[in-house]
Amino acid sequence: MFDEDHLVAISALQHWLYCPRQCALIHVERAWEENKFTAQGRVMHERAHEGPNESRPGIRITRGLPVRSLGLGLSGQCDVVEFHTDGRVVPVEYKRGKPKAHRADEVQLCAQALCLEEMLGGAIEGGCLYYGERRRRTPVNFDHELRDLVTVTASSVRECLTTGTTPPAEYEPRRCDACSLIELCQPRSLRFRRGAAAWFQQRLRAAMATDVNADPGDS
Ligand code: SF4
């Protein structure tokens, strides 16, 4: 069991799956920059949290609910949690854009569900991601594979935070060009520097090998 003072933010899991370096820059180095994508996401979250909790026939809707799991060492906040009269508890996370190729959004939602399970003492089978571009919900099943991915990711993030090590940049255009930290991260110049250093080391090794293998009579 983890103590209250050492809980990892659920958002860090999402950042880690998008890019481990981004996660370290935000959660170890406390760096942050906003771009249009993060601004749109922030506005969506603020809207999701706005407004009172409400009750409709068969359902109670709670907004901005803080959650935590001492077993997993995680804490965060749910955009919306639906409590149905048939006993189902359904977390709903609001996202800009549309469903993505990576599983970061699903992991974030499932991590919230695992916290709710520990807090409420029951099983939660699934939740929903609401994507602003599509304007509709995508159901997410909290199967064993997704639950394991939450656990493994939480462990990786905790190790990163404990060691305080920021992974090197790996420039991937589709990922990095959408990243709000690209100016701070400078992934292209790091790649260039690493490339230049590797080129220099290679030339140095070649020159030394030439010297060692050279016929003494040549000199
Ligand atoms: S710019 Fe690329 S490498 Fe750097 S933090 Fe963002 S996604 Fe990661």
Side-chain angles (χ1 to χ4, degrees):
M1 295 288 267
F2 295 93
D3 65 61
E4 294 272 4
D5 296 333
H6 295 92
L7 301 182
V8 170
I10 289 174
S11 60
L13 276 55
Q14 184 201 16
H15 294 139
W16 179 270
L17 288 171
Y18 184 77
C19 169
R21 178 172 170 83
Q22 187 199 63
C23 177
L25 288 172
I26 295 170
H27 298 276
V28 175
E29 301 189 23
R30 303 290 171 192
W32 182 247
E33 286 289 335
E34 192 153 84
N35 65 9
K36 68 174 182 179
F37 301 121
T38 58
Q40 286 169 354
R42 178 175 50 75
V43 168
M44 277 204 75
H45 280 283
E46 286 169 359
R47 284 196 188 137
H49 290 195
E50 274 174 10
N53 298 333
E54 54 184 299
S55 292
R56 297 177 193 165
I59 181 171
R60 183 163 54 86
I61 297 169
T62 304
R63 301 177 192 278
L65 182 67
V67 293
R68 67 157 196 200
S69 162
L70 297 182
L72 284 168
L74 295 173
S75 68
Q77 193 175 33
C78 299
D79 283 344
V80 167
V81 182
E82 296 176 351
F83 295 90
H84 294 252
T85 49
D86 62 7
R88 283 181 302 123
V89 176
V90 180
V92 184
E93 179 71 12
Y94 284 70
K95 295 287 177 192
R96 58 161 292 282
K98 54 191 176 188
K100 305 166 184 89
H102 56 73
R103 305 200 74 187
D105 294 344
E106 293 165 80
V107 162
Q108 182 183 14
L109 182 68
C110 186
Q112 293 171 1
L114 296 182
C115 291
L116 285 166
E117 285 184 346
E118 184 177 306
M119 293 166 67
L120 302 172
I124 300 176
E125 293 179 3
C128 293
L129 291 164
Y130 179 93
Y131 285 100
E133 203 169 294
R134 287 191 166 180
R135 294 182 179 274
R136 65 169 185 261
R137 291 181 173 193
T138 299
V140 178
N141 178 28
F142 302 141
D143 58 21
H144 287 299
E145 186 185 338
L146 184 56
R147 288 167 183 264
D148 288 347
L149 186 55
V150 172
T151 307
V152 169
T153 308
S155 173
S156 299
V157 171
R158 183 172 295 282
E159 186 181 347
C160 172
L161 300 187
T162 303
T163 61
T165 306
T166 301
E170 294 290 341
Y171 180 63
E172 290 180 20
R174 285 186 62 193
R175 181 186 65 171
C176 296
D177 292 348
C179 176
S180 70
L181 300 184
I182 190 167
E183 291 302 321
L184 287 167
C185 174
Q186 295 290 319
R188 277 167 293 205
S189 53
L190 275 172
R191 182 176 67 160
F192 172 74
R193 283 205 292 274
R194 204 165 48 241
W199 177 85
F200 179 74
Q201 289 294 331
Q202 188 184 26
R203 294 297 297 262
L204 188 61
R205 277 197 298 274
M208 289 174 72
T210 302
D211 284 349
V212 166
N213 295 329
D215 184 335
D218 291 347
S219 58

